[in-house]
Amino acid sequence: MTAQDWHYGRSGNGIGGSGDAGPATKLDNTDRWQKTLFGNLSSYLQYSITDALNIKTVLGADIRDTEDFFWRGLEFDSQARTNQTELDQATIKRASVLSETTLNYAKTLGNHDISAIAGVEFQNFYITGISLNGTNVPYGLPVNYAFLDPSDIAVSERNETIARRSVFGRVNYAYDNRYLASVSVRRDGDSRFGANNRFETFPAVSLGWNVHNESFFNSDFLTLLKLRFSTGSLGTTSFLGAYNSLSLLNPQATVFGTGFLIPSDVANPDLTWQTNTETNYGINLGFLNNRIRLGVDYYTSNIEDILINQSVSEVLGTTSVALNSGDVKSSGLEFELGAHLLTKKDLTWVVNANLSTVNTEITDLGGLDELPQVIYGQSGRGPVFRNYVGGEIGEMWGLETIGMVETKYMSDPSRNIGLSSSEYYVVDQNGDGIIDRTRTVEDGGDLVKIGQNTPDFYWGLNSQFTYKSFDLSFQLQGAQGGEVFNIDEIYWRSEFGGRLKSSFDANNDGIADHNGQHYTQSRNQLDAQVQDASYTALRNLTIGYNLSPELTGKLGLRSARVYVASTNLLYIMANDYTSLNPEGVEITQSDYLGPTTYGVQVGASPVIRSFTVGVNVNF
């Protein structure tokens, strides 16, 4: 076995306080790779019936073949537990076929512009594959399923088909480019839903008035004034897989081979579309011959029959079920600003910016006042997620802290590098002498709201600059006001408890003797782990040069451009954020329940910065 004498977390090694194996050992005892082959094909056929009427058929298909491999050896675990080993292999083929046929009409009659479209759409998704999941991998033998006990190998096969059928239509009308109207309707059906509710109808309507085209409007400064209104609904399948409306048994290794023991869902023939109905009131303004444009929208969004994975008692054989459970309303403002700052023969500069705000509220939970509270994170370390009528989706609740217990009360502050006490003073909200982290203050406990991941606003800025044959463009993007529950800090600071002097709390009643304050470990749902997830990112920066026509002509080319580009060249995080990626929210664990448990960070991958050198050539 590998001598584990340097790495994060090994107990008593002078670096950390965990018994985990360190990075060197883990890297040497794990292997993961993925191979992907993909391709796509598209075509269309169009026929003009009359000058104003044509029919068009689009056919498309794509295929993706993926092979995954994962091995984790015995020495990956510092305690050498064979049940922590893994040998997984999967081969999945995904394909889709799309057929869309539309009848298109467009006609101008004097000042009347009329266009219409009617169509049908058929789309099928196919997923086939097989996966092997093994454990108790023998030590010192070749990595091969032949050396595993059959009871340690679970074999599962996927053979899924998803079918979607749609009919749709839209009519657009404009009078003298002043009064605008559009009406549309579509009816969609999807096999992922229950047998009783697979089809739904989604209408929409929009109106517009180009005030600047009226005879009474005359301004050299304000050259564009447009009023807009729209409302409409759209359906989504959200996270649903092919058979979430059915109760299927999951494969599991047994002494008799692969068995099917535990259902993955509870059958729900009424599972249906999540519907979002959005209403917008907007205005567009243009100044100085539209060199500067401003758009402002106020929107309301009502998500009905929201799809969630709701946690349930395991007496049903599964920890969560897919349900339509309630409604969520949101509203906000959206701003768009564009400007042609320079428009010379050899010099142009264009800037576009946007900003949007959002406020959300749960208005219904299918007859419940609140969904079951859930702790989501890592090994019990995470906030209490609450979703209740009148609140926001995925609110994080926990205990309010006063500060960390000082290192002078530790039995040996020098035992490990950067070691902390792992304990925080917490507030007894109701003064009953008991810290209750299972109930809110309203219910007689001590839980308070400590955070929520949705930002107060999002923003972006794009700029394009050209000078003769050179061009430069960049995109800035950011979010302000969102929060994450960052579990990383607990681990890299080795906050695992058991560090205090016995005299700190002589009678072990959870109250510090020197100041009478309650205290608890950092793992116990504290606001100390909530950090600001605001960020500013230079998403893209590109510098290019167009080769002269004389040079490209000599090379037999129509045009050529060379460029260098980068992503995330600049990334600014909040001052109190201590990890590597404020956007890296954990959603991969088996007990993740969707947006109702969104906002935890556990070992997120760093922000990726890339550099590209390329050539675009047209023949």
Side-chain angles (χ1 to χ4, degrees):
M1 297 291 288
T2 301
Q4 301 190 17
D5 56 355
W6 78 272
H7 50 75
Y8 161 79
R10 184 63 172 172
S11 181
N13 70 351
I15 296 178
S18 168
D20 287 346
T25 302
K26 289 186 175 184
L27 287 171
D28 288 341
N29 289 275
T30 186
D31 186 22
R32 185 192 297 270
W33 51 259
Q34 182 183 85
K35 297 178 182 178
T36 301
L37 298 174
F38 62 90
N40 60 73
L41 175 69
S42 63
S43 64
Y44 74 90
L45 178 65
Q46 184 169 318
Y47 176 72
S48 296
I49 303 171
T50 68
D51 290 341
L53 184 66
N54 69 74
I55 187 171
K56 182 178 181 180
T57 295
V58 177
L59 295 173
D62 64 72
I63 187 170
R64 181 177 293 268
D65 193 339
T66 304
E67 184 179 0
D68 287 283
F69 175 85
F70 176 64
W71 166 75
R72 185 166 66 202
L74 185 68
E75 292 181 285
F76 184 94
D77 180 62
S78 64
Q79 300 180 44
R81 293 168 293 185
T82 60
N83 63 359
Q84 298 299 303
T85 62
E86 284 191 49
L87 181 57
D88 303 333
Q89 190 164 348
T91 302
I92 304 294
K93 291 181 172 62
R94 303 174 187 270
S96 69
V97 179
L98 170 68
S99 171
E100 181 183 88
T101 300
T102 56
L103 193 64
N104 303 273
Y105 175 81
K107 190 73 172 180
T108 299
L109 301 171
N111 290 330
H112 306 274
D113 290 303
I114 303 171
S115 64
I117 184 173
V120 294
E121 182 179 282
F122 304 89
Q123 189 168 19
N124 281 13
F125 301 90
Y126 305 96
I127 303 174
T128 59
I130 189 169
S131 64
L132 289 79
N133 300 95
T135 188
N136 293 321
V137 180
Y139 177 72
L141 294 177
V143 179
N144 193 295
Y145 286 101
F147 296 104
L148 273 67
D149 192 290
S151 63
D152 292 326
I153 304 174
V155 182
S156 60
E157 184 178 0
R158 294 185 68 178
N159 189 351
E160 303 173 11
T161 299
I162 298 172
R164 176 173 288 193
R165 305 290 182 260
S166 305
V167 294
F168 54 90
R170 183 178 68 250
V171 177
N172 298 322
Y173 172 76
Y175 176 72
D176 197 26
N177 198 24
R178 288 184 289 164
Y179 312 115
L180 314 172
S182 178
V183 178
S184 66
V185 65
R186 64 181 297 132
R187 184 165 176 80
D188 295 314
D190 197 292
S191 63
R192 281 170 278 199
F193 298 114
N196 298 338
N197 288 307
R198 286 182 175 165
F199 289 86
E200 190 58 78
T201 302
F202 305 104
V205 61
S206 64
L207 302 172
W209 180 20
N210 285 323
V211 182
H212 60 275
N213 287 334
E214 296 287 354
S215 59
F216 61 79
F217 188 91
N218 185 17
S219 173
D220 293 330
F221 176 70
L222 181 63
T223 51
L224 169 66
L225 175 58
K226 182 179 181 180
L227 304 178
R228 296 177 285 105
F229 167 80
S230 65
T231 184
S233 60
L234 186 66
T236 178
T237 59
S238 190
F239 59 86
L240 293 183
Y243 305 120
N244 276 117
S245 65
L246 306 176
S247 182
L248 303 180
L249 295 178
N250 283 328
Q252 183 171 323
T254 73
V255 293
F256 303 106
T258 301
F260 296 88
L261 306 176
I262 301 174
S264 58
D265 271 299
V266 176
N268 183 1
D270 296 320
L271 194 66
T272 190
W273 293 86
Q274 175 178 302
T275 302
N276 183 15
T277 301
E278 186 165 313
T279 300
N280 285 272
Y281 305 87
I283 183 171
N284 291 105
L285 303 173
F287 305 93
L288 303 176
N289 201 27
N290 298 336
R291 288 188 62 183
I292 301 174
R293 290 173 177 258
L294 174 66
V296 181
D297 285 79
Y298 171 75
Y299 72 89
T300 62
S301 175
N302 184 18
I303 303 177
E304 298 176 296
D305 297 321
I306 187 171
L307 287 163
I308 65 170
N309 270 319
Q310 182 169 316
S311 59
V312 294
S313 170
E314 292 191 41
V315 71
L316 297 175
T318 183
T319 57
S320 64
V321 296
L323 295 174
N324 296 101
S325 186
D327 305 338
V328 175
K329 286 186 177 180
S330 61
S331 62
L333 291 169
E334 294 181 343
F335 302 89
E336 292 186 3
L337 178 65
H340 290 260
L341 299 180
L342 293 173
T343 53
K344 305 292 185 179
K345 178 181 178 181
D346 293 328
L347 181 64
T348 64
W349 185 15
V350 179
V351 176
N352 293 283
N354 62 79
L355 184 146
S356 61
T357 68
V358 60
N359 297 288
T360 64
E361 180 185 354
I362 299 173
T363 58
D364 180 71
L365 286 171
L368 300 175
D369 293 328
E370 182 176 357
L371 297 180
Q373 297 179 11
V374 175
I375 296 176
Y376 177 73
Q378 179 74 28
S379 303
R381 300 173 178 90
V384 176
F385 280 98
R386 294 190 62 208
N387 296 271
Y388 56 94
V389 175
E392 299 178 277
I393 294 181
E395 288 187 1
M396 295 181 281
W397 286 61
L399 300 177
E400 179 185 356
T401 59
I402 303 171
M404 180 174 277
V405 174
E406 300 85 346
T407 55
K408 66 182 181 180
Y409 296 110
M410 295 174 58
S411 56
D412 184 6
S414 64
R415 185 177 68 177
N416 300 107
I417 299 173
L419 192 65
S420 69
S421 66
S422 304
E423 310 281 346
Y424 284 82
Y425 298 113
V426 294
V427 177
D428 181 6
Q429 299 288 342
N430 54 19
D432 63 358
I434 300 173
I435 298 298
D436 184 350
R437 54 189 177 91
T438 64
R439 295 181 297 167
T440 67
V441 175
E442 183 181 21
D443 295 329
D446 295 289
L447 292 179
V448 296
K449 183 179 176 181
I450 58 176
Q452 208 267 348
N453 186 257
T454 303
D456 298 326
F457 63 87
Y458 304 86
W459 64 272
L461 177 68
N462 301 311
S463 181
Q464 298 84 39
F465 181 88
T466 64
Y467 175 68
K468 294 185 177 180
S469 297
F470 292 93
D471 62 86
L472 182 150
S473 64
F474 66 84
Q475 178 190 27
L476 286 167
Q477 187 185 66
Q480 184 69 37
E483 295 162 315
V484 291
F485 191 96
N486 192 355
I487 298 174
D488 295 348
E489 192 174 56
I490 296 177
Y491 284 88
W492 66 257
R493 286 170 46 152
S494 296
E495 295 181 0
F496 301 109
R499 311 282 172 73
L500 301 179
K501 298 177 181 178
S502 58
S503 58
F504 178 78
D505 180 9
N507 56 358
N508 198 30
D509 60 358
I511 300 176
D513 292 345
H514 71 284
N515 63 7
Q517 297 285 355
H518 291 266
Y519 70 96
T520 190
Q521 287 190 32
S522 60
R523 64 171 294 143
N524 292 331
Q525 293 77 54
L526 307 181
D527 64 3
Q529 273 70 55
V530 175
Q531 297 180 349
D532 187 354
S534 302
Y535 67 91
T536 296
L538 179 57
R539 290 298 190 199
N540 296 288
L541 174 64
T542 302
I543 301 174
Y545 178 77
N546 292 287
L547 274 65
S548 67
E550 292 81 6
L551 179 58
T552 55
K554 292 178 181 179
L555 297 174
L557 305 174
R558 290 176 57 194
S559 64
R561 175 176 175 266
V562 295
Y563 68 92
V564 293
S566 69
T567 61
N568 295 316
L569 187 62
L570 175 69
Y571 201 101
I572 302 173
M573 307 175 192
N575 290 333
D576 73 341
Y577 180 75
T578 58
S579 287
L580 304 174
N581 183 358
E583 300 173 82
V585 174
E586 171 59 52
I587 60 172
T588 62
Q589 298 187 32
S590 60
D591 54 343
Y592 175 67
L593 300 178
T596 59
T597 54
Y598 188 84
V600 170
Q601 189 160 87
V602 185
S605 298
V607 174
I608 297 174
R609 180 177 297 159
S610 66
F611 299 90
T612 304
V613 177
V615 178
N616 295 328
V617 176
N618 292 317
F619 295 94

